[in-house]
Amino acid sequence: MPTDNRIRDLVIVGGGTAGWMTAASLANHFQGSGLKITLIESSAIGTIGVGEATIPTIRRFYQSLGLRDLDVLKATHGTVKLGIRFDGWLNKDSSFIHPFGVYGQDLRDIPFHQYWLRLRAAGEKVDLGDYSLAVALARGGRFTTPSPNPPSTLSVFDWALHFDAGLFAQLMRQTAEKLGVQRIDAKIEKVELNPENGHIAGLLLDSGATVTGDLFVDCSGFRGLLIEGAMSAGYEDWGQWLLCDRALAAQGYAITPPPPFTRVTAHNAGWRWTIPLQHRTGHGYVYSSRHISDSDAEAELLSAVGGDLKMAPRRITFTPGRRRQAWKGNCVAIGLSSGFLEPLESTSIALIETGIDKLKQLFPQRDIDPLLVDEYNDWSRREMERVRDFIILHYWLNRREDTAFWRDCRAIDLPDTLTRKVQMWKRRGHMVRYRWEMFQPASWLAIYAGFDFLPDGYDPALDGFDVPSLSRGLAGMRKAIADTVADCPTHQEFIDRYAKVVV
């Protein structure tokens, strides 16, 4: 008879958002399979828990667990996020929105942005955001759920959530435990390795007990207790491209009415986030310790928010980069233990989602096939690099001259993958797309246009178009979007009607 080589015992180390999302999703995916999932966390150890902004993939994630949008909004004291508003990034007076949605309508197999570029070349300088329903809703402080059958791309947009990450982790824990995940509240004193293959054999707890398993998932945060502390997977530092290595996180009082977008404001040595929840506002300052002292950064943050805080700022130190091997032996790192990219585009939770998804697709047997490990690591590397490049672009395109930080950001040598993207865009208005891209062309277009980094020309096929007719056609698009927004309730009205939390 063949030997049963299936994974029977899976152990997750660390709770928080990453640990409980992993536990809930895997328990749901492997229902009835006989897989036992145990999560070890210590109530004496805190979690980072500052991530309060997401991208739309989070909604697909919790919907796969049977949770509904409005229920999650209520449970997490959440608000709607239609995109991110960048203030002061191009120069001190600039502002634009990166939306969760598309721009205009493609015609005759030619992307919409080429028509927009054609009109600009003819002297018509219309804001690209006027062709995005998500941008128009965000600017107007309005929201309604997207149409399930949009009549045209002018009606297409998506949305995400601002939420209390601690409350979301609790919701994930409740979901996971209903699905049979067992929780152990303990500290890990020692990681025991198998001397024959270097795999993790068991975890010695402070209670004296030892927990064994076939596969271990490291969700222990920056520490990387298993993947680095025990497995020595190595870390690739990306500080030569991303200069920020510190963050201050604080909580302020609620903004009324809450805007349906995250706000990121450029500062002397980094940027400040403003994330509105129903019961509070998340504030933070991500900065470079090479360009400002910790005390001056805190003073700058307090001055910007007026000192009206519920809690004093908490400092977080990080090294931007990724684990060289997100999967080594019988240990898979998910969340901060696998690497960290600053929260400029709210990617931390999304990278947890994709880490879980990759593990589902490549779930091993007990002998841990190296081919699966290599595929997981290659996918993880490429995905992290793609997100890294997108974030680098925000800094590199700035035109600020007021501080050394912004000048230094502009002077970096771009990674080859980003250089090719930028050159193809600048020369032809062409969007290069790689595998494992988290951000689609509309997102790249939002950043290029927001920083006024536009191609030298446009698609020559548009030379055959009558410019006045083209102008009237695009004006019709803008009017259709404006009319739609005028008929929508305000964001506050939507929250009050469907997801209001009394605190």
Side-chain angles (χ1 to χ4, degrees), residues 10-246:
L10 184 144
V11 180
I12 300 169
V13 172
T17 308
W20 286 113
M21 282 178 67
T22 302
S25 186
L26 292 181
N28 181 66
H29 186 70
F30 287 103
Q31 282 186 80
S33 70
L35 177 67
K36 176 187 174 185
I37 301 176
T38 303
L39 185 146
I40 304 171
E41 67 174 344
S42 172
S43 52
I45 299 175
T47 58
I48 295 294
V50 299
E52 295 173 332
T54 63
I55 64 175
T57 55
I58 188 64
R59 295 179 44 243
R60 264 65 81 188
F61 177 85
Y62 62 65
Q63 287 167 2
S64 73
L65 300 174
L67 299 171
R68 301 185 306 167
D69 290 326
L70 299 183
D71 293 335
V72 175
L73 275 170
K74 288 180 183 178
T76 61
H77 298 189
T79 63
V80 167
K81 177 183 174 184
L82 288 163
I84 304 173
R85 193 176 88 183
F86 290 84
D87 291 342
W89 282 71
L90 174 60
N91 53 56
K92 281 192 171 184
D93 299 321
S94 66
S95 182
F96 70 90
I97 291 176
H98 167 202
F100 298 137
V102 297
Y103 294 94
Q105 289 178 294
D106 296 347
L107 302 169
R108 287 178 43 179
D109 296 324
I110 299 174
F112 167 78
H113 70 264
Q114 296 286 358
Y115 294 90
W116 177 69
L117 291 170
R118 176 68 184 92
L119 282 188
R120 285 182 64 90
E124 190 170 320
K125 304 292 200 272
V126 179
D127 188 338
L128 180 67
D130 290 346
Y131 299 99
S132 165
L133 181 54
V135 170
L137 287 167
R139 287 173 174 167
R142 295 176 178 271
F143 179 73
T144 188
T145 53
S147 168
N149 297 297
S152 77
T153 54
L154 296 177
S155 302
V156 173
F157 72 97
D158 210 341
W159 63 283
L161 284 74
H162 302 121
F163 59 39
D164 183 316
L167 292 178
F168 185 69
Q170 288 180 28
L171 182 61
M172 290 297 98
R173 175 180 170 181
Q174 293 166 8
T175 304
E177 291 184 328
K178 285 179 182 177
L179 290 166
V181 173
Q182 299 298 307
R183 174 181 180 267
I184 298 175
D185 188 342
K187 288 184 181 179
I188 295 171
E189 297 285 352
K190 183 181 179 183
V191 180
E192 299 173 338
L193 300 181
N194 183 326
E196 294 182 6
N197 58 14
H199 288 192
I200 297 172
L203 307 174
L204 178 62
L205 309 182
D206 58 359
S207 64
T210 297
V211 176
T212 59
D214 303 316
L215 185 66
F216 293 80
V217 181
D218 188 345
C219 297
S220 66
F222 288 139
R223 293 181 301 155
L225 179 66
L226 304 185
I227 196 69
E228 193 60 46
M231 306 298 286
S232 301
Y235 196 83
E236 188 172 298
D237 185 340
W238 287 343
Q240 74 269 37
W241 295 302
L242 297 169
L243 306 186
C244 293
D245 59 355
R246 299 280 191 280

Side-chain angles (χ1 to χ4, degrees), residues 301-354:
L301 173 62
L302 293 176
S303 174
V305 301
D308 192 19
L309 298 178
K310 286 186 171 184
M311 55 166 272
R314 182 160 57 103
R315 185 173 296 110
I316 301 162
T317 301
F318 60 86
T319 300
R322 69 173 188 91
R323 203 68 63 186
R324 292 188 183 278
Q325 297 176 82
W327 183 345
K328 185 175 181 182
N330 63 341
C331 177
V332 181
I334 291 179
L336 297 178
S337 59
S338 68
F340 181 75
L341 292 168
E342 62 186 72
L344 182 60
E345 285 284 354
S346 309
T347 52
S348 291
I349 290 177
L351 288 167
I352 293 171
E353 298 164 29
T354 57

Side-chain angles (χ1 to χ4, degrees), residues 236 238 322-324 326 338 341 351 354 358 374-390 417-418 421 433-439 444:
E236 188 172 298
W238 287 343
R322 69 173 188 91
R323 203 68 63 186
R324 292 188 183 278
S338 68
L341 292 168
L351 288 167
T354 57
K358 291 193 294 284
D374 290 345
E375 180 67 12
Y376 187 99
N377 286 328
D378 181 64
W379 184 350
S380 298
R381 175 183 65 81
R382 293 175 188 272
E383 184 176 52
M384 285 284 283
E385 287 175 349
R386 306 296 181 249
V387 176
R388 175 202 67 191
D389 288 357
F390 188 58
T417 47
L418 180 54
K421 279 203 167 204
R433 300 182 68 176
Y434 299 122
R435 292 181 71 196
W436 320 128
E437 292 258 22
M438 185 174 290
F439 293 98
W444 288 82

